[in-house]
Amino acid sequence: GAVVSQHPSRVICKSGTSVKIECRSLDFQATTMFWYRQFPKKSLMLMATSNEGSKATYEQGVEKDKFLINHASLTLSTLTVTSAHPEDSSFYICSARDISGIGETQYFGPGTRLLVL
Amino acid sequence: AQSVTQPDIHITVSEGASLELRCNYSYGATPYLFWYVQSPGQGLQLLLKYFSGDTLVQGIKGFEAEFKRSQSSFNLRKPSVHWSDAAEYFCAVGVGTGNMLTFGGGTRLMVKP
């Protein structure tokens, strides 16, 4: 089946530093990837849609200068949390859209736990 | 705008008992429908999906779901629950160009011995 990886799985950083999270589709090409944020005991909140070769589309209320997204290839999207602060601590999950076969399906990565001290 | 409701925040069932998790959606047309499962600290795993055709869909791990247009529902079922099924379950609908997903609030399933 379709596999999506994320790296790192956990990261702890100091306030003010930047953190990069990678999302890779391992066995399929994904022109579109999505970045979500999940708070404890909550559902997923879509942050942005990452399109290969073009600018990401951000959801309302998500700061594009804070959460930089780059989708340089058909198998890799990166999310950089710039000048991270404690309120950015969260669980970040990416998904990649597989358009092969019937319909379109998002496959999710295992998530990245970010803790900003 | 579309919305997804999972009425049950928590459900506890005994191992071996049957399970039904409810999902209702609001959308003007027939959306793509999905069920995902999330274990603690993990990402989401796709259980099953409905795009068209047979309204009863089979998924992995013995799960199935039935699309009922008249009730705008897509309930997830399993005839006999295993302790390893304890997790958070999310129903989602995909709509529009790009199949953007809207998630329900999730249902936490606990399995007692």
Side-chain angles (χ1 to χ4, degrees):
Chain A
V3 180
V4 177
S5 70
Q6 271 184 253
H7 179 80
S9 58
R10 293 175 180 270
V11 58
I12 301 174
C13 69
K14 292 182 178 179
S15 185
T17 61
S18 294
V19 175
K20 179 185 285 188
I21 303 170
E22 294 185 348
C23 178
R24 294 181 185 271
S25 56
L26 298 185
D27 51 2
F28 65 101
Q29 293 184 329
T31 56
T32 304
M33 293 183 174
F34 302 88
W35 287 96
Y36 295 85
R37 185 171 177 175
Q38 186 178 33
F39 292 99
K41 301 187 186 300
K42 297 293 186 182
S43 188
L44 280 73
M45 180 190 78
L46 178 65
M47 298 174 65
T49 302
S50 170
N51 300 297
E52 187 268 336
S54 65
K55 290 184 179 180
T57 304
Y58 291 81
E59 295 300 300
Q60 190 173 9
V62 178
E63 299 176 60
K64 60 180 67 175
D65 295 329
K66 173 79 172 172
F67 299 98
L68 299 180
I69 291 173
N70 183 275
H71 193 155
S73 78
L74 289 172
T75 59
L76 173 64
S77 174
T78 61
L79 169 69
T80 301
V81 183
T82 62
S83 186
H85 290 284
E87 58 265 28
D88 298 323
S89 298
S90 192
F91 192 55
Y92 292 89
I93 307 177
C94 74
S95 71
R97 191 175 73 198
D98 183 4
I99 62 173
S100 64
I102 300 173
E104 301 176 356
T105 302
Q106 287 186 33
Y107 293 94
F108 286 79
T112 296
R113 174 80 56 194
L114 170 64
L115 177 61
V116 184
L117 303 177
Chain B
Q2 67 279 0
S3 65
V4 182
T5 302
Q6 293 179 245
D8 305 303
I9 297 175
H10 295 100
I11 282 186
T12 301
V13 298
S14 298
E15 190 170 16
S18 63
L19 170 70
E20 182 170 30
L21 301 182
R22 296 184 290 165
C23 173
N24 294 96
Y25 69 89
S26 173
Y27 183 57
T30 300
Y32 293 163
L33 296 160
F34 305 84
W35 274 100
Y36 290 89
V37 61
Q38 184 181 34
S39 297
Q42 301 296 314
L44 276 68
Q45 181 182 23
L46 178 67
L47 286 176
L48 47 78
K49 58 188 177 183
Y50 172 80
F51 292 139
S52 65
D54 192 347
T55 56
L56 184 63
V57 293
Q58 302 297 319
I60 62 172
K61 303 184 178 185
F63 286 93
E64 67 177 26
E66 186 171 12
F67 169 58
K68 292 186 177 180
R69 184 190 306 274
S70 61
Q71 298 176 20
S72 297
S73 69
F74 189 57
N75 294 348
L76 181 72
R77 299 194 295 251
K78 186 169 184 177
S80 178
V81 170
H82 189 263
W83 65 266
S84 60
D85 293 324
E88 186 90 19
Y89 291 80
F90 291 97
C91 178
V93 299
V95 298
T97 303
N99 196 25
M100 306 291 285
L101 290 182
T102 298
F103 285 90
T107 297
R108 180 166 297 278
L109 173 65
M110 291 171 279
V111 181
K112 57 183 181 181

